[in-house]
Amino acid sequence: MSDTTPKSATANQMWGGRFATGPDAIMQAINASIGFDKRLYAQDIQGSRAHAAMLAATGILTNKDVEAIREGLLTVLSEIEAGNFTFKVELEDIHMNVEARLKEIIGEPAGRLHTARSRNDQVAVDFRLWVRDQCDAAITGIEALMRAFLAQAEAGADWVMPGFTHLQTAQPVTWGHHMMAYVEMLGRDRSRFADARKRMNESPLGAAALAGTSFPIDRQMTATALGFDRPTANSLDSVSDRDFALEFLSAASICAMHLSRFAEELVIWSSAQFRFVRLSDRWTTGSSIMPQKKNPDAAELLRAKLGRILGATVALFTVMKGLPLTYSKDMQEDKEQVFDASDTLMLGLAAMTGMVQDMTANRDSLAAAAASGFSTATDLADWLVRTLNLPFRDAHHVTGTLVAKAEAKGCDLPDLTLAEMQSVHPGITADVFTVLGVENSVRSRMSYGGTAPEQVRAQIARWKELLK
Ligand code: ARG
């Protein structure tokens, strides 16, 4: 097209000056982010209000203009919140949608709001504010789930169940101990989100397009107004950094991985073969053909959700990999991933909390399973070491022979007679039977962090205090 081509009426009003025509319809479709970044409207308006107040305080804009801007922004906010706002795809993103509407409402001063600012630092600040909120929401959700596990642990601090390695019966443990294992995992998740939040709590606003600005802005003022600890220290990094989103996604992935592990345990435990727990009707579904069925659908979905969250994490890493400084439009691909991952995590935490609150442990099944599978074989070996002073390797061998004997007889270790025991090692006395019971077994695991009910109760008390 020649330079004399008349400007199309649809050339963008924000930068149309050097453009002859508006974008191709397909360009608009691939370029626009308003379909998803409208979720940032509150943060966008919050950031603009802080920016405007600073422009007035520094004398860059007049108080009169800024008053109009801040009032106008509140009107836009209430329109969006009331559902009376028309988001326009030709205005590309939330930033331009808000500004264009502001112009309709207050006229000329709206055009001054973008002084000493760029959409690059604007989107960086909006998105940080949003992700920061999600860290808080994740922490709240995690704490609720921790409390649900704590309640389960407290109810069954001394209930015995099999502990597994390789999903094979290993040693008896307590129900409370198993529940508290998840409290530990979630405690780490909580600290990961808190830690990421701390690191991301710096304001990129005022980095402008990439180089800072020649206007005498006050970045500390906007940082404080938006609840940030300080302004970011390098303008290039400020507009090109998405570490905060990656950290959020990474923490979310680890947390979702923990949820998937308990989800898998619930699927196994609620089966007719295990019957360790009964899930409530609120978290299960029936089958249209098999009337006996109660399917652990919520648990199965939670087992799967990590796929989405980890997928989002990999997607954003892939977007960011190899991007030259500073902002590139590639980075617009950050938001949908984080939105979806965050929604998925919050829903997952809420669902898991409900399931854990509502589930009923079957104490008898747990106890019966704990006593089977020669679960106290280690206790027997330890007794041989302690009482007969056998080297552990020899004790292990003697015990293995006794397990084989019991297996051949079709009974468990405590069902062997003393004579049968003595035929394997003559030094064994009737005292051995005291360690073959599962209750004694768990009570004896008194090492710090061990499964003894006393230890479990100490950990419950510690976490209750920490969660106060
Ligand atoms: N919608 C854009 C995004 O989400 C906003 C920043 C655009 N900046 C620019 N120079 N095109 O990343």
Side-chain angles (χ1 to χ4, degrees):
M1 276 182 201
S2 80
D3 287 348
T4 54
T5 309
K7 257 180 218 163
S8 152
T10 53
N12 187 295
Q13 54 174 296
M14 300 290 172
W15 61 66
R18 96 182 279 291
F19 282 72
T21 70
D24 189 277
I26 294 172
M27 171 57 185
Q28 199 163 72
I30 195 173
N31 192 41
S33 55
I34 188 62
F36 47 87
D37 70 12
K38 59 181 169 213
R39 261 184 102 156
L40 299 176
Y41 74 87
Q43 289 76 15
D44 193 69
I45 290 170
Q46 191 189 0
S48 287
R49 281 172 55 82
H51 182 64
M54 181 278 291
L55 291 176
T58 50
I60 297 169
L61 294 191
T62 64
N63 284 329
K64 188 165 163 279
D65 281 347
V66 168
E67 225 8 80
I69 289 170
R70 297 182 70 210
E71 284 296 312
L73 285 169
L74 284 184
T75 307
V76 176
L77 180 65
S78 56
E79 285 178 359
I80 296 175
E81 267 162 5
N84 297 331
F85 190 96
T86 314
F87 292 101
K88 296 185 184 139
V89 71
E90 58 275 18
L91 289 169
E92 208 181 306
D93 57 24
I94 185 63
H95 323 298
M96 296 203 288
N97 268 270
V98 169
E99 193 184 318
R101 178 68 189 129
L102 182 67
K103 186 154 191 211
E104 285 172 7
I105 300 170
I106 67 167
E108 193 248 26
R112 300 184 188 279
L113 170 60
H114 216 50
T115 311
R117 186 177 77 169
S118 151
R119 276 191 298 155
N120 295 349
D121 59 340
Q122 196 177 353
V123 73
V125 78
D126 292 4
F127 198 31
R128 256 185 217 239
L129 288 170
W130 194 88
V131 174
R132 192 177 73 181
D133 281 351
Q134 298 312 297
C135 286
D136 293 338
I139 289 169
T140 304
I142 288 167
E143 287 178 352
L145 180 53
M146 289 173 85
R147 289 196 179 90
F149 274 117
L150 272 167
Q152 286 286 350
E154 210 164 17
D158 57 358
W159 299 356
V160 289
M161 68 177 283
F164 300 93
T165 60
H166 315 266
L167 198 55
Q168 308 285 317
T169 299
Q171 293 173 351
V173 296
T174 48
W175 170 258
H177 201 46
H178 200 113
M179 295 298 105
M180 291 306 289
Y182 284 97
V183 171
E184 291 291 332
M185 292 176 234
L186 291 162
R188 291 193 296 275
D189 289 328
R190 183 175 79 137
S191 76
R192 261 184 285 275
F193 282 110
D195 190 47
R197 187 199 197 283
K198 229 178 275 163
R199 209 170 3 263
M200 76 179 66
N201 204 30
E202 295 185 344
S203 172
L205 192 58
L210 77 166
T213 174
S214 56
F215 289 99
I217 59 171
D218 182 347
R219 293 193 59 207
Q220 185 63 57
M221 181 181 169
T222 45
T224 304
L226 296 170
F228 289 111
D229 295 328
R230 64 192 78 84
T232 50
N234 181 298
S235 63
L236 302 177
D237 178 48
S238 307
V239 294
S240 66
D241 167 38
R242 291 295 181 271
D243 289 4
F244 61 94
L246 290 168
E247 283 198 51
F248 175 81
L249 290 172
S250 305
S253 297
I254 298 175
C255 182
M257 175 273 288
H258 292 148
L259 299 186
S260 83
R261 293 185 76 171
F262 191 62
E264 166 70 348
E265 297 204 303
L266 285 181
V267 171
I268 296 171
W269 291 357
S270 63
S271 69
Q273 289 70 27
F274 269 76
R275 291 180 192 283
F276 282 7
V277 295
R278 204 162 42 77
L279 296 174
S280 96
D281 292 355
R282 287 158 29 104
W283 303 102
T284 48
T285 65
S287 157
S288 52
I289 180 162
M290 297 165 282
Q292 87 283 10
K293 294 269 278 184
K294 210 174 184 192
N295 296 325
D297 291 35
E300 293 168 272
L301 287 162
L302 278 168
R303 191 169 55 180
K305 290 292 187 192
L306 169 62
R308 271 168 86 148
I309 296 178
L310 187 59
T313 310
V314 174
L316 186 55
F317 268 105
T318 312
V319 165
M320 297 306 294
K321 178 199 169 290
L323 275 191
L325 301 189
T326 58
Y327 178 85
S328 296
K329 197 61 172 265
D330 309 50
M331 289 161 66
Q332 181 166 284
E333 291 288 312
D334 56 3
K335 282 172 273 306
E336 283 169 291
Q337 303 297 343
V338 175
F339 290 163
D340 186 68
S342 182
D343 291 345
T344 305
L345 181 70
M346 304 310 159
L347 183 62
L349 284 168
M352 188 59 98
T353 302
M355 263 196 296
V356 173
Q357 279 167 346
D358 287 5
M359 75 182 180
T360 320
N362 187 338
R363 192 178 176 175
D364 295 335
S365 303
L366 290 170
S372 71
F374 315 108
S375 65
T376 51
T378 316
D379 299 88
L380 173 52
D382 287 349
W383 184 90
L384 294 169
V385 170
R386 226 180 300 114
T387 316
L388 303 184
N389 200 27
L390 293 193
F392 184 78
R393 290 295 166 211
D394 297 349
H396 185 285
H397 190 82
V398 169
T399 307
T401 312
L402 286 168
V403 167
K405 227 179 180 40
E407 199 164 33
K409 197 181 159 191
C411 70
D412 252 294
L413 281 174
D415 308 320
L416 289 174
T417 64
L418 184 58
E420 283 165 331
M421 299 241 188
Q422 286 170 339
S423 73
V424 177
H425 194 288
I428 298 178
T429 65
D431 177 65
V432 75
F433 290 101
T434 61
V435 302
L436 296 183
V438 288
E439 306 276 348
N440 282 340
S441 168
V442 296
R443 260 200 301 275
S444 72
R445 300 272 192 284
M446 268 299 286
S447 51
Y448 179 80
T451 198
E454 210 175 304
Q455 287 294 330
V456 172
R457 289 197 180 98
Q459 293 302 329
I460 293 172
R462 181 174 73 89
W463 275 109
K464 279 177 112 175
E465 191 59 34
L466 285 171
L467 283 177
K468 251 188 200 149

